[in-house]
Amino acid sequence: MQREQKRFIDERPKSKALFERARKSLLAGVPMNWMVKWAGAFPPFVREAQGAHFFDVDGHRYIDFCLGDTGAMTGHSPFAVVKAAEEQMRRGITLMLPGEDSIVVAEELQKRFQLPYWQFALSATDANRFSIRLARQVTGRPKVLVFNWCYHGTVDETFITLGSDGTAGPRPGNVGPPINPAITTKVVEFNDVDALEAALHTGDVACVVAEPAMTNVGIVHPQPGFHKVLRELTRQHGTLLIIDETHTICAGPGGYTQSENLEPDVVVFGKAIGAGIPGAAYGLSQELAEKIAAKQELENCDVGGIGGTLAGNALSLAAMRATLTKVLTKEAFDRMIPMAERWTTGVARAIADVGVPWHVTRLGCRAEYLFGPEPKNGSEAHAAMDFELERFLHLYAMNRGILLTPFHNMALMSPQTEREDVDRHTSVFREAANEVCAS
Ligand SMILES: Cc1ncc(COP(=O)(O)O)c(C=O)c1O
């Protein structure tokens, strides 16, 4: 680790100088606090990014498997989005009035997710928050249910975990929780049907907020039949089902919902929907849309906690239209998914050859390795995490021109990711795993 830290610092004098300057005006030297988490002594400062690659200010070229933690899953600055955004910026950025792009985007989302009505927000966090508010309003119930070790953005209700004794409380790192989230939220393990049934049975849960496969604690796949039961139980107990596809859009053009024929009441999709230009969408079923419409108050609809001044702005919608119609197409997924298969196969072989008890898995064009056997829930996945080992592997990769997402061991394929990029990762991963084993 010391050798790799020294190499990282020695080879990046310009990033180091910028970081030292940044510490005088930015809290902890970064524009957003998560950026302190990169494995190096400072983050590499970026000069420019294009497609699946970027250059730092010291001239190093990186293969980007982090892709802005999914925001740039489209590849960096795809031509069609840049063109549409440039054109729109010359014609107005935000108006508090609709344009035709909003209809085109909603029509495209209708086809992909089979939900008839759509609304826009600026982030997936907001889309989740608004969906939860609507669910509470329509059901008249106070509680939300989430799965242990989920992540749905900075949504207060979702920052809850189960302790080893089974009690729910604020998740570690929860900054200034307004109240104990156990008051607002029930939390059960993913794939635990009995716990789900017991939690819904009391009739006070407005909605379940779920990623269809967990992606924020490594990848945890649903067990066969889990989604069927989840849907049956939520319907049976009058609880709405909010499926957050922000990451699982990696499964295909209509995310996991389309590929597995799920029937949610709400779908949330953010991050990559505008190729990184801020935007998110949430879709509503016919029945839910009717209930919401019946409750809408014209006079107070601007102060009810749903929406936002810049939500649904013209630039955001132009970017979404171009992304959906020209970039995140079926053809793009047909290229990205086999690339992730190649990544997974390479890593699985390296794990087997080196003989470490690790595991690699894949969901569409997203792949991830974990330091343990395949997990069936968030607790098992979390127990297999190893902060120091993860930092070593990430730093080792960065020093050899590869960027993985800093919060776990995830690699995402963009439409421009090449076989050589994937194979380069495989050989660097193998080399690093061998060193870990040798020590
Ligand atoms: C599944 C999921 N939903 C929502 C979000 C929140 O996205 P944002 O930070 O863009 O609001 C994230 C962020 O990682 C996520 O993983």
Side-chain angles (χ1 to χ4, degrees), residues 34 69 122-126 128 151-154 211 215-216 244-248 268 270-271:
W34 300 356
D69 196 15
L122 279 186
S123 67
T125 297
D126 272 354
N128 278 322
Y151 186 76
H152 296 283
T154 53
E211 281 195 282
T215 67
N216 280 295
D244 182 351
E245 291 275 13
T246 300
H247 278 182
T248 48
V268 167
K271 295 201 186 188

Side-chain angles (χ1 to χ4, degrees), residues 317-332:
L317 282 156
M320 288 188 213
R321 177 178 180 164
T323 303
L324 292 174
T325 58
K326 301 200 172 116
V327 184
L328 283 185
T329 57
K330 180 178 176 307
E331 295 67 42

Side-chain angles (χ1 to χ4, degrees), residues 8-164:
F8 182 87
I9 296 167
D10 289 350
E11 290 179 352
R12 288 165 184 79
K14 290 188 179 157
S15 273
K16 183 168 182 276
L18 283 178
F19 184 63
E20 276 158 11
R21 186 173 142 208
R23 287 171 70 161
K24 296 181 189 135
S25 61
L26 297 170
L27 189 62
V30 288
M32 192 269 282
N33 58 312
W34 300 356
M35 293 184 196
V36 295
K37 214 171 167 183
W38 289 104
F42 44 82
F45 279 65
V46 177
R47 192 179 77 206
E48 64 178 275
Q50 185 61 56
H53 301 96
F54 72 92
F55 286 91
D56 70 16
V57 289
D58 290 286
H60 303 288
R61 181 179 185 265
Y62 298 79
I63 304 163
D64 191 355
F65 289 112
C66 167
L67 293 168
D69 196 15
T70 310
M73 180 178 141
T74 50
H76 294 288
S77 299
F79 176 76
V81 179
V82 172
K83 185 165 177 287
E86 270 176 5
E87 283 170 10
Q88 185 57 54
M89 280 197 281
R90 275 191 283 273
R91 298 196 308 258
I93 295 171
T94 192
L95 292 110
M96 192 64 81
L97 282 170
E100 193 191 355
D101 284 349
S102 54
I103 307 172
V104 176
V105 174
E107 287 169 350
E108 179 62 30
L109 292 169
Q110 266 178 348
K111 280 185 236 151
R112 293 182 186 219
F113 295 99
Q114 303 298 314
L115 288 174
Y117 294 106
W118 291 82
Q119 288 282 276
F120 300 101
L122 279 186
S123 67
T125 297
D126 272 354
N128 278 322
R129 288 198 303 110
F130 302 160
S131 304
I132 290 171
R133 275 183 177 266
L134 289 167
R136 283 202 175 110
Q137 187 192 38
V138 161
T139 59
R141 296 176 178 187
K143 297 233 172 187
V144 172
L145 184 143
V146 296
F147 293 107
N148 200 23
W149 293 108
C150 68
Y151 186 76
H152 296 283
T154 53
V155 180
D156 284 321
E157 289 91 338
T158 62
F159 281 127
I160 184 165
T161 46
L162 285 173
S164 49

Side-chain angles (χ1 to χ4, degrees), residues 280-296:
Y282 53 109
L284 311 163
S285 69
Q286 181 73 36
E287 194 186 341
L288 179 57
E290 283 167 16
K291 287 185 181 157
I292 292 169
K295 298 241 176 197
Q296 193 155 45

